[in-house]
Amino acid sequence: MIRIGVTGHIGLEPSARRLIRGAIVKELRKHRPVHGVTCLADGADRIFAEAVRACRGTFEAVLPVPEIGAAPEEDRDLRDLLRHATDVTKITVPGLPELSYEAASREVVERCDLLLAVWDGSPEGARGGTAETVAFAVSRGKTVERIWPEGARRLQISPFPLPVG
């Protein structure tokens, strides 16, 4: 059984979710039976977990749990997915939350044979984000398959909050 990890964008346009799920399912069907490895972040990671289940595969979760922040159990959608995980590992690194995200993403890479990158190819991103995780996987000699279907879009998030009222 192949172990397939995922890294990918959060903040996806609603219309992109269906496109991405279809592309992931198509890729997973090439590797049956499949076991997924995911951080279950909102966006690509959760779409991946749903696709693994649709392909009758299994998955494990590697959760980044920053010292400061909401407990993962407070997220209802995450709780529902965790019930289906074969294993859950929580990773906390002291300091900035990004350190926990980076550590969890690296653990996903270490546990997988193939990494699916649901990625628009942009080199920009936060520490532990998609671009950095892909670079780490390549440095470790992992096979990386980029998934970004035609028409997929990320949400445009303003760096400054818009005034209300």
Side-chain angles (χ1 to χ4, degrees):
M1 178 179 302
I2 187 168
R3 295 167 59 93
I4 301 178
V6 67
T7 186
H9 295 303
I10 60 172
L12 299 167
E13 289 280 348
S15 61
R17 297 178 74 81
R18 181 183 53 78
L19 296 171
I20 291 167
R21 185 179 190 276
I24 291 172
V25 166
K26 184 178 178 181
E27 183 64 31
L28 293 177
R29 286 187 175 147
K30 296 176 187 176
H31 304 285
R32 288 178 148 173
V34 65
H35 180 76
V37 186
T38 173
C39 291
L40 288 177
D42 192 22
D45 286 45
R46 292 187 190 181
I47 295 169
F48 171 79
E50 293 164 3
V52 167
R53 293 193 64 228
C55 291
R56 299 177 193 234
T58 57
F59 70 90
E60 63 193 77
V62 180
L63 300 180
V65 183
E67 288 183 310
I68 300 172
E73 295 79 10
E74 293 178 21
D75 181 331
R76 191 179 88 202
D77 293 333
L78 176 59
R79 239 186 5 252
D80 290 344
L81 284 170
L82 287 172
R83 286 196 335 258
H84 299 286
T86 59
D87 183 59
V88 177
T89 303
K90 294 180 182 179
I91 295 184
T92 301
V93 176
L96 297 172
E98 293 85 1
L99 298 176
S100 293
Y101 303 141
E102 178 183 48
S105 293
R106 287 181 175 216
E107 185 62 24
V108 166
V109 169
E110 294 295 347
R111 292 184 186 191
C112 74
D113 304 307
L114 165 67
L115 182 70
L116 299 185
V118 181
W119 181 38
D120 64 4
S122 171
E124 302 160 359
R127 187 169 186 167
T130 306
E132 185 178 284
T133 303
V134 167
F136 178 73
V138 169
S139 78
R140 304 296 286 175
K142 300 288 181 166
T143 301
V144 177
E145 289 291 332
R146 182 172 165 256
I147 292 179
W148 195 251
E150 182 73 32
R153 302 274 184 275
R154 294 170 68 184
L155 291 172
Q156 296 300 314
I157 301 172
S158 172
F160 304 102
L162 297 174
V164 177

